[in-house]
Amino acid sequence: MAFMVVVCTIGLCLLQIIVLQKIDAFTVNLTYNLEPVYSIIIAMIIFNEYQELNFSFILGIALIIISVVLQTWSKLKVKS
């Protein structure tokens, strides 16, 4: 249990602080928010779970990806 506390809690918190020193908070939070999308896509590929997904589900994932692309594009446009 002590190993889990040290590695999974304290260690990952320290890694997050190190990452935030090198990458902006927007990019870090973007990866956190897209984690369910990554896992769904991986499940579709590995476990052939795409047969049970309907049009509204695919539309939802498309909207999430489009919003991320538009937000990133607008952020890059403001910087330049």
Side-chain angles (χ1 to χ4, degrees), residues 12-80:
L12 291 178
C13 185
L14 290 174
L15 284 175
Q16 183 179 8
I17 292 170
I18 294 169
V19 166
L20 283 172
Q21 291 173 349
K22 299 181 182 199
I23 301 173
D24 62 339
F26 173 77
T27 306
V28 174
N29 283 324
L30 189 63
T31 58
Y32 290 154
N33 293 333
L34 286 177
E35 194 171 332
V37 176
Y38 300 149
S39 60
I40 290 168
I41 291 172
I42 290 171
M44 286 170 47
I45 293 169
I46 294 175
F47 301 116
N48 293 324
E49 292 291 329
Y50 57 88
Q51 292 95 358
E52 298 180 18
L53 304 178
N54 55 15
F55 176 74
S56 62
F57 179 80
I58 294 172
L59 181 66
I61 286 184
L63 287 174
I64 292 170
I65 293 172
I66 288 170
S67 66
V68 167
V69 168
L70 289 175
Q71 175 66 24
T72 306
W73 179 70
S74 68
K75 185 175 180 184
L76 291 175
K77 187 176 178 183
V78 169
K79 281 187 175 180
S80 54

